[in-house]
């Protein structure tokens, strides 16, 4: 990639206290990120991010080449600390606009070539289609997936996902390295890169995903430590007209708000390039109804499987059902090689 101008250092953080937590935005000489707080008698204060975007330089070099030769986007130590302290962090403009546009076009190409499936809900054997809870399509991603690399229209083995310095290098490896350090520090648990999950999520007009958790006890999803959402919507996305905000619930409940608790949440506008990270077992969330097509990258950074996980799955299954326990362990592994080789200590 041709040489890039080094991003200017961040100016002092702007902090907005939200209940017991603080919601952060930042200011750079090129971009100003306003934090808008809306108050309502029916719900607590809500923080929203509305970045003002610079004019896109259409003559700029392709971001495919830019990412390959420049330093890949990384989260700052301050962002990592925010994730540790509050359980979530929102980072505007994590990806450059050119790359956001190319990834969105990648979604369109893969959809037109039949790579997307109607999204389902649930874990393991309970996985089912339920349009009362979720209306969306997904395409699972990963290195060397023949069903994707065989699609020449999407770039084949030289796609924006697969090429050196592309999506997998930046998201699967680059972010995982930073989060592994956090996981080791906070809980003395290592993340396992071979178990990372990544997918494209496409919401049609009228799509949604009701409140849910990403890590459910006694299921394969319990391995999920950190959840990722990276928005790929166009530069003309209008938060009011297009909607589809991400709602992060901070009430301490699970799939529902605890009885007697007042609703406590923040809404994040799905502006292209915005990265959201949160602790999978800690933050229930939902996608509000969309008024236009909505594009995103979704992922989970997983820890290794332990002997305790296998025991818990066995107890959850009533014990003695060796076949069921074995199938669930295989689901937890999420990879094709032997489960024994990934059992953590």
């Amino acid at each position: 990639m041709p040489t890039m101008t080094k991003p200017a250092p961040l100016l002092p953080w702007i902090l907005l206290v939200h209940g017991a937590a603080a919601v952060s935005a930042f200011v750079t000489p090129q971009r100003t990120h306003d934090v808008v707080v809306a108050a309502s008698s029916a719900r607590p204060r809500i923080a929203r991010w509305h970045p003002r975007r610079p004019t896109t330089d259409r003559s700029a070099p392709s971001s495919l080449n830019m990412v390959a030769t420049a330093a890949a986007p990384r989260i700052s130590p301050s962002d990592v600390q925010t994730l540790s302290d509050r359980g979530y962090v929102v980072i505007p403009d994590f990806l450059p606009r050119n790359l956001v546009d190319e990834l969105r076009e990648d979604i369109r190409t893969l959809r037109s070539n039949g790579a997307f499936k109607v999204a389902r809900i649930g874990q393991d054997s309970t996985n089912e289609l339920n349009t009362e809870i979720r209306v969306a399509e997904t395409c699972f991603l990963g290195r060397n997936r023949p069903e994707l690399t065989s699609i020449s229209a999407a770039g084949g083995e030289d796609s924006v996902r697969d090429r050196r310095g592309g999506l997998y290098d930046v998201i699967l490896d680059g972010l995982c390295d930073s989060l592994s350090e956090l996981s080791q520090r906070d809980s003395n648990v290592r993340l396992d890169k071979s178990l990372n999950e990544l997918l494209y999520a496409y919401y049609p007009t009228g799509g949604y995903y009701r409140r849910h958790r990403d890590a459910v006890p006694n299921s394969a999803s319990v391995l999920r430590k950190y959840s990722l959402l990276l928005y790929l919507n166009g530069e003309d996305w209008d938060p009011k007209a297009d909607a589809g905000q991400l709602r992060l619930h901070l009430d301490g409940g699970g799939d529902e708000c605890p009885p007697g608790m007042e609703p406590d949440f923040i809404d994040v506008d799905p502006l292209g390039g915005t990265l959201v990270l949160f602790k999978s077992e800690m933050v229930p969330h939902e996608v509000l109804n969309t008024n236009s097509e909505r594009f995103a990258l979704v992922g989970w950074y997983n820890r290794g499987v332990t002997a305790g996980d296998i025991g818990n799955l066995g107890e959850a299954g009533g014990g003695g059902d060796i076949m069921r326990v074995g199938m669930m362990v295989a689901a937890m592994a999420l990879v094709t090689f032997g489960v024994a080789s990934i059992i953590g200590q």
Side-chain angles (χ1 to χ4, degrees):
M1 160 191 311
T3 58
M4 289 181 61
T5 302
K6 183 178 180 180
L10 299 182
L11 296 180
W13 286 79
I14 300 172
L15 297 179
L16 170 68
V17 176
H18 171 71
V23 180
S24 303
F26 60 80
V27 178
T28 73
Q30 293 81 20
R31 304 179 182 89
T32 301
H33 301 279
D34 298 328
V35 179
V36 179
V37 180
S40 167
S41 59
R43 63 191 189 201
R45 290 157 63 86
I46 306 166
R48 290 189 175 91
W49 286 261
H50 298 289
R52 299 186 190 122
R53 303 187 183 92
T55 302
T56 301
D57 181 2
R58 297 302 179 184
S59 64
S62 166
S63 58
L64 284 174
N65 296 326
M66 293 173 63
V67 173
T69 59
R74 297 184 68 88
I75 54 176
S76 70
S78 296
D79 294 329
V80 173
Q81 191 60 49
T82 298
L83 176 59
S84 175
D85 294 343
R86 302 169 198 160
Y88 67 93
V89 64
V90 179
I91 307 171
D93 295 329
F94 178 76
L95 283 189
R97 169 52 53 184
N98 283 357
L99 184 54
V100 170
D101 292 342
E102 290 181 52
L103 291 172
R104 185 175 64 258
E105 186 60 30
D106 190 44
I107 291 178
R108 294 188 188 279
T109 302
L110 292 176
R111 284 192 73 237
S112 67
N113 283 270
F116 275 70
K117 307 296 182 185
V118 176
R120 305 167 75 87
I121 65 168
Q123 303 294 328
D124 312 319
S125 61
T126 66
N127 188 258
E128 63 179 359
L129 179 66
N130 187 332
T131 55
E132 293 184 1
I133 296 177
R134 189 180 193 185
V135 174
E137 299 175 17
T138 57
C139 173
F140 281 87
L141 306 175
R143 289 186 172 92
N144 304 317
R145 295 180 72 100
E147 69 274 23
L148 300 182
T149 57
S150 63
I151 301 177
S152 59
E157 295 181 357
D158 195 38
S159 72
V160 64
R161 290 162 277 109
D162 295 275
R163 67 184 301 152
R164 184 177 65 85
L167 180 65
Y168 297 146
D169 285 352
V170 172
I171 300 300
L172 285 180
D173 295 340
L175 279 180
C176 188
D177 290 339
S178 298
L179 296 178
S180 289
E181 296 174 5
L182 173 61
S183 181
Q184 186 75 28
R185 186 186 74 196
D186 283 0
S187 56
N188 198 31
V189 172
R190 296 188 302 271
L191 299 184
D192 190 331
K193 284 186 178 181
S194 68
L195 304 186
N196 290 343
E197 304 170 78
L198 198 65
L199 59 85
Y200 280 142
Y202 168 82
Y203 286 80
T205 300
Y208 52 81
Y209 195 174
R210 304 309 183 209
R211 176 169 170 159
H212 64 282
R213 294 168 292 168
D214 284 349
V216 180
N218 299 321
S219 77
S221 67
V222 76
L223 297 181
R224 294 171 175 169
K225 287 286 291 180
Y226 304 104
S227 298
L228 155 98
L229 291 164
L230 181 59
Y231 294 110
L232 305 174
N233 294 313
E235 197 168 11
D236 58 349
W237 184 273
D238 185 325
K240 290 185 178 179
D242 299 317
Q245 280 76 14
L246 169 70
R247 178 163 293 178
L248 300 176
H249 292 278
L250 309 176
D251 52 38
D255 291 342
E256 298 180 354
C257 183
M261 288 286 294
E262 290 294 324
D264 185 13
F265 56 82
I266 65 170
D267 287 344
V268 180
D269 293 327
L271 301 179
T274 297
L275 172 68
V276 183
L277 296 168
F278 56 89
K279 295 181 179 179
S280 301
E281 82 287 354
M282 178 178 171
V283 184
H285 53 287
E286 63 181 299
V287 175
L288 304 184
N289 290 44
T290 62
N291 294 332
S292 58
E293 292 181 308
R294 183 181 186 273
F295 304 85
L297 182 76
V298 181
W300 299 273
Y301 298 98
N302 299 333
R303 62 173 175 81
V305 182
T306 68
D309 294 323
I310 298 174
N312 290 338
L313 287 175
E315 293 176 6
D321 188 348
I322 302 300
M323 180 63 72
R324 181 178 184 277
V325 173
M327 292 179 66
M328 293 186 75
V329 169
M332 292 175 74
L334 303 176
V335 290
T336 57
F337 53 90
V339 172
S341 66
I342 63 169
I343 296 231
Q345 300 300 319

